[in-house]
């Protein structure tokens, strides 16, 4: 789903008067999450999930087909842990299996 489609859905579900109001609310939500995660704090929305920051360890490896090696530094990355209610909603709406013919 693209942002424009999501804004339409948000307008409908959130009972906003206009798409502009719904988009403003969505942008405000995203900016607020970014601001909190930028301070390495977390945001927990009970039932929905938790936005948090975690340390991703650096990696090292070898470039296939050569003797070259590489390494990446440790870095902080955003993470999302879904809450129970969100997990239950997703589990209740399973996609049907599609039989692929060869």
């Amino acid at each position: 789903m693209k942002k424009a489609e999501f804004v339409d859905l948000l307008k409908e579900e959130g009972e906003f008067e206009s798409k502009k109001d719904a988009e403003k609310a969505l942008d405000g939500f995203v900016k607020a999450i970014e601001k909190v995660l930028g301070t390495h704090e977390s945001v927990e929305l009970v039932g929905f999930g938790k936005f948090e920051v975690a340390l991703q360890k650096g990696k090292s490896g070898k470039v296939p087909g050569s003797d070259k090696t590489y390494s990446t530094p440790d870095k902080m990355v955003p993470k999302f842990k879904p809450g129970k209610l969100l997990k239950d909603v997703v589990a209740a709406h399973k996609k049907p299996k599609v039989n692929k013919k060869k």
Side-chain angles (χ1 to χ4, degrees):
M1 177 179 282
K2 298 195 184 280
K3 182 179 178 181
E5 296 168 322
F6 186 73
V7 168
D8 288 337
L9 179 61
L10 182 61
K11 177 186 177 284
E12 185 180 307
E13 292 294 321
E15 300 176 4
F16 289 97
E17 291 184 21
S18 68
K19 283 176 65 172
K20 190 173 185 176
D21 290 342
E23 186 168 10
K24 198 174 186 181
L26 177 61
D27 290 343
F29 175 78
V30 170
K31 286 179 183 177
I33 295 291
E34 289 172 349
K35 187 173 186 175
V36 172
L37 293 181
T39 64
H40 295 197
E41 291 185 51
S42 63
V43 176
E44 187 168 0
L45 305 172
V46 177
F48 182 74
K50 184 176 184 179
F51 296 91
E52 58 188 345
V53 178
L55 176 67
Q56 185 179 64
K57 294 282 187 179
K59 300 174 186 173
S60 60
K62 185 177 174 188
V63 177
S66 72
D67 292 332
K68 294 181 182 178
T69 59
Y70 68 90
S71 62
T72 59
D74 293 351
K75 62 183 175 180
M76 300 303 287
V77 294
K79 288 199 172 193
F80 176 74
K81 290 183 181 178
K84 183 175 178 356
L85 292 176
L86 182 59
K87 286 180 185 178
D88 291 346
V89 168
V90 172
H93 292 40
K94 291 183 180 178
K95 284 188 176 183
K97 291 185 178 181
V98 178
N99 293 331
K100 293 183 180 181
K101 295 182 180 179
K102 291 184 179 183

